[in-house]
Amino acid sequence: MAGDLNDIYEVLGSLKAEVKNLRQDISQVNVKIEKRLESLEPKLAELSHRTEKVELGIASVKKDVGEDVMPVIDEVKAWKQRGIGALAMAGMGGGALGVAITSWWDSLLSHFR
């Protein structure tokens, strides 16, 4: 029975040593993680600052587009619509002129026949 108790104490002692080693390993990993996090904090702050600048720049561009570019785009669209209308009118006028010239030419030729 004493041998069994010694075996149990020996197993408990080795478990205790393993737990102690695990705690040390975990502490070392925590230190490494903290060092990495400390090096990331300035980078994250810089990235946040840069993102803020980009957002402000985009807001400025949106404002410029809304105030300066969109009226020009609307004006160009109006020109396009007017141009299409003018081409349609020119096509209709050309067709009417063609019919008129053909009709006149037929009546002129019928006088000579």
Side-chain angles (χ1 to χ4, degrees):
M1 176 137 189
D4 290 338
L5 275 177
N6 285 337
D7 291 341
I8 292 173
Y9 287 135
E10 190 176 311
V11 169
L12 286 176
S14 66
L15 284 175
K16 187 177 177 181
E18 289 294 323
V19 168
K20 183 178 179 182
N21 289 338
L22 285 175
R23 284 184 182 163
Q24 288 175 352
D25 290 344
I26 290 172
S27 295
Q28 291 173 355
V29 168
N30 283 341
V31 168
K32 288 180 183 179
I33 289 173
E34 287 176 8
K35 285 181 181 178
R36 286 188 181 175
L37 288 177
E38 286 173 0
S39 70
L40 286 179
E41 286 179 15
K43 292 177 184 177
L44 287 175
E46 179 189 351
L47 186 60
S48 174
H49 182 68
R50 289 175 61 192
T51 303
E52 189 176 313
K53 281 184 177 180
V54 168
E55 288 175 349
L56 290 174
I58 288 173
S60 174
V61 168
K62 280 184 179 179
K63 181 182 175 190
D64 290 345
V65 166
E67 292 177 357
D68 298 335
V69 177
M70 288 308 290
V72 172
I73 291 173
D74 293 339
E75 189 175 343
V76 170
K77 285 180 182 178
W79 291 347
K80 180 182 174 185
Q81 290 172 349
R82 289 182 196 135
I84 290 171
L87 285 174
M89 293 303 293
M92 286 183 223
L97 184 63
V99 168
I101 290 174
T102 304
S103 174
W104 175 74
W105 189 258
D106 274 346
S107 67
L108 185 67
L109 283 180
S110 68
H111 287 320
F112 289 118
R113 289 184 195 170

